[in-house]
């Protein structure tokens, strides 16, 4: 797997940051390259919630079904693919005070084996890094706005 991790300071509480990311409607707003993100079934929050996603990274069009595999209120949300493109994404929210936190965005991805998989991996790796950085920058800006609107 290839891991990309970005850590950003955010002008919002960890609670606000968690609440923003925990609402799946926000994901396409901050996640760079996300084309669609829809729930599978009625559960949209917490462990076991499942979603179908489609994103583009450079020349690649990737589809996955992901499941929430870690959910710690006001601290962590992690998803892992259960079908399609293999990816694990984790968001951690570290409280730094009543209106400040740090957001860690960690993305691990794996491409299929063989020559085609290695070629795909080399093609999309720079796009993954750019997408994670842009997504994290978008996220902390949107979280700050969300936090301010809740005050």
């Amino acid at each position: 797997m290839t891991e990309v991790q970005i850590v950003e300071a955010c002008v919002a509480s960890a609670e606000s940051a968690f609440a923003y990311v925990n609402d799946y409607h926000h994901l396409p707003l901050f996640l760079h390259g996300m084309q669609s993100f829809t729930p599978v079934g009625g559960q949209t929050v917490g462990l076991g919630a499942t979603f179908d996603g489609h994103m583009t990274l450079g020349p690649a069009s990737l589809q996955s079904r992901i499941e929430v595999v870690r959910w710690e209120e006001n601290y962590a949300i992690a998803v892992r693919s259960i079908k399609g493109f293999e990816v694990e994404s984790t968001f951690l929210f570290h409280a730094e005070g009543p209106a400040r936190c740090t957001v860690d965005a960690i993305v691990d991805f794996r491409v299929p084996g063989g020559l085609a998989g290695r070629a795909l991996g080399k093609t999309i790796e720079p796009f993954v890094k750019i997408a994670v950085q842009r997504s994290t920058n978008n996220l902390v800006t949107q979280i700050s706005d969300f936090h301010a609107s809740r005050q």
Side-chain angles (χ1 to χ4, degrees):
M1 283 194 133
T2 300
E3 180 180 292
V4 178
Q5 180 173 2
I6 307 291
V7 178
E8 292 282 340
C10 185
V11 182
S13 66
E15 293 81 5
S16 288
F18 180 89
Y20 188 82
V21 174
N22 196 45
D23 182 343
Y24 79 92
H25 293 98
H26 295 147
L27 193 82
L29 302 176
F30 71 83
L31 196 57
H32 183 77
M34 183 58 67
Q35 302 299 308
S36 64
F37 193 74
T38 55
V40 177
Q43 182 181 352
T44 61
V45 174
L47 289 174
T50 306
F51 303 87
D52 281 337
H54 174 231
M55 76 182 321
T56 55
L57 292 173
S61 178
L62 309 170
Q63 295 185 18
S64 291
R65 176 165 288 175
I66 62 167
E67 179 179 7
V68 176
V69 294
R70 181 177 178 191
W71 190 92
E72 297 173 49
E73 191 167 11
N74 298 327
Y75 178 68
I77 299 173
V79 299
R80 180 180 303 134
S81 60
I82 56 175
K83 183 172 129 182
F85 181 71
E86 289 188 58
V87 64
E88 280 185 50
S89 297
T90 303
F91 291 96
L92 302 174
F93 311 97
H94 303 282
E96 302 287 334
R100 297 198 61 79
C101 70
T102 302
V103 177
D104 295 6
I106 306 155
V107 177
D108 287 326
F109 69 95
R110 179 177 296 162
V111 294
L115 292 175
R118 285 196 293 277
L120 175 63
K122 289 191 182 304
T123 299
I124 67 169
E125 183 173 356
F127 293 104
V128 170
K129 290 179 181 177
I130 291 167
V132 173
Q133 181 65 61
R134 286 185 182 167
S135 297
T136 307
N137 289 340
N138 290 341
L139 179 60
V140 296
T141 299
Q142 292 171 24
I143 287 171
S144 296
D145 293 344
F146 176 75
H147 177 76
S149 72
R150 293 176 65 174
Q151 299 305 306

